Amino acid sequence: MPTLPLYQVDAFTSILFHGNPACVVPLSKWLPVETMRRIAAENGVPETAFFIDHDDAIELRWFTPDIEMDLCGHATVATAHVLVRHLGHSVEKPLVFNTKSGPLKVTVAGSAYVLDLPSRPAVPATLPAELADAFGFRPKQVLRARDYMLVFDSEDQIRNLRPDRNLLDQLNLDPGGIICTARGEEVDFVSRFFTPQATIFEDPVTGSAHCTLTPFWAERLRKTAMTARQLSERGGALHCTLSEDRVLLKGHAVTFMEGKFSV
């Protein structure tokens, strides 16, 4: 049985046990899709990233415990962290990841990472019946890109959301989720992110959700550089910049574990 290295990294935080945990697995060739999904399920964190490093470009794929995803921000930051801090990858130029969402770049900025993602602006949408009573508070605005985005009145409402999972699990959003957001008190905006029918129901810090949050709040706040916080139990902080049709997310990462496994 081949032995593979494994790293676990907390992304979008500089404090251990905060942010969003991701496992990172370097490969020399792709494993079967079902094997990668089973490894992700065994790891039990929101995302496991698998990559093959070709020096000039890095192939990257992301798996939740349930499915392969088309875009994941925090596991991309975690992969960059592993390449730079553990595997000695050069930081003289951006790391380029080839993914299902096209080429993604990560630039190392001191102790932080700047992730370049595609902007995913949302458009007005009709509120599904399952969402109307699922959160306790009624949103004042409903939009959708890949994910539904529900806009609420206050940070306090976001912090105190108690979603009814039985109602939300009636929605088939594969592979999307539900962003809940409001204007922040000490940051520009706050959010939480839920994935009905998934093993992990609430994602701690969701980079891909900020591809939709950033253009929305940039237009509303009339500014292109903003601070954001995801109000999950673990919590996480991001600096978000809208640059034409791209979203730049700046955050930190910290290693929790380094090990090996056999498959």
Side-chain angles (χ1 to χ4, degrees):
M1 297 176 65
T3 299
L4 297 172
L6 174 72
Y7 302 85
Q8 187 168 322
V9 175
D10 293 337
F12 294 125
T13 183
S14 56
I15 306 171
L16 200 61
F17 309 128
H18 291 70
N20 203 350
C23 286
V24 180
V25 180
L27 297 173
S28 58
K29 64 179 181 179
W30 292 118
L31 300 170
V33 169
E34 181 60 14
T35 300
M36 290 190 284
R37 189 202 65 78
R38 286 178 178 269
I39 293 169
E42 189 76 8
N43 289 336
V45 296
E47 302 273 354
T48 295
F50 299 86
F51 75 87
I52 300 175
D53 185 4
H54 299 293
D55 292 327
D56 57 334
I58 305 153
E59 295 181 70
L60 177 63
R61 296 169 74 173
W62 312 278
F63 286 78
T64 75
D66 306 299
I67 60 172
E68 183 173 6
M69 291 297 291
D70 65 332
L71 182 63
C72 179
H74 87 277
T76 303
V77 168
T79 303
H81 177 79
V82 168
L83 281 161
V84 171
R85 306 301 176 192
H86 296 281
L87 301 179
H89 203 287
S90 172
V91 297
E92 293 181 359
K93 58 183 180 179
L95 286 77
V96 179
F97 297 98
N98 290 331
T99 77
K100 287 192 170 185
S101 292
L104 304 180
K105 294 181 180 180
V106 177
T107 302
V108 180
S111 62
Y113 302 90
V114 180
L115 174 60
D116 182 335
L117 295 175
S119 176
R120 285 179 167 174
V123 297
T126 301
L127 185 69
E130 294 87 352
L131 286 181
D133 299 309
F135 290 98
F137 304 105
R138 285 289 185 107
K140 63 181 182 180
Q141 194 172 358
V142 181
L143 305 99
R144 190 174 188 183
R146 181 193 70 177
D147 310 304
Y148 276 101
M149 185 168 71
L150 311 185
V151 184
F152 291 86
D153 284 319
S154 68
E155 177 175 321
D156 193 56
Q157 284 186 336
I158 299 298
R159 183 176 288 106
N160 291 301
L161 290 175
R162 298 293 181 267
D164 184 334
R165 181 162 190 177
N166 290 329
L167 284 177
L168 294 179
D169 278 348
Q170 297 175 36
L171 290 168
N172 184 10
L173 301 180
D174 184 18
I178 302 166
I179 307 166
C180 298
T181 188
R183 181 82 178 263
E185 296 172 0
E186 297 181 353
V187 295
D188 288 301
F189 64 88
V190 297
S191 66
R192 291 172 69 183
F193 187 82
F194 303 95
T195 50
Q197 301 182 348
T199 298
I200 297 175
F201 179 56
E202 180 171 3
D203 194 45
V205 191
T206 315
S208 62
H210 287 76
C211 295
T212 300
L213 287 161
T214 300
F216 173 81
W217 286 109
E219 181 178 6
R220 174 163 287 199
L221 300 177
R222 298 183 179 180
K223 57 197 300 188
T224 56
M226 295 162 287
T227 54
R229 179 165 293 278
Q230 198 152 326
L231 299 179
S232 63
E233 183 177 350
R234 292 174 64 100
L238 308 91
H239 291 264
C240 310
T241 301
L242 182 64
S243 179
E244 297 181 349
D245 63 346
R246 308 295 294 180
V247 169
L248 307 180
L249 302 180
K250 182 179 180 181
H252 292 81
V254 58
T255 302
F256 166 65
M257 180 186 70
E258 181 178 356
K260 296 180 180 179
F261 69 101
S262 298
V263 63

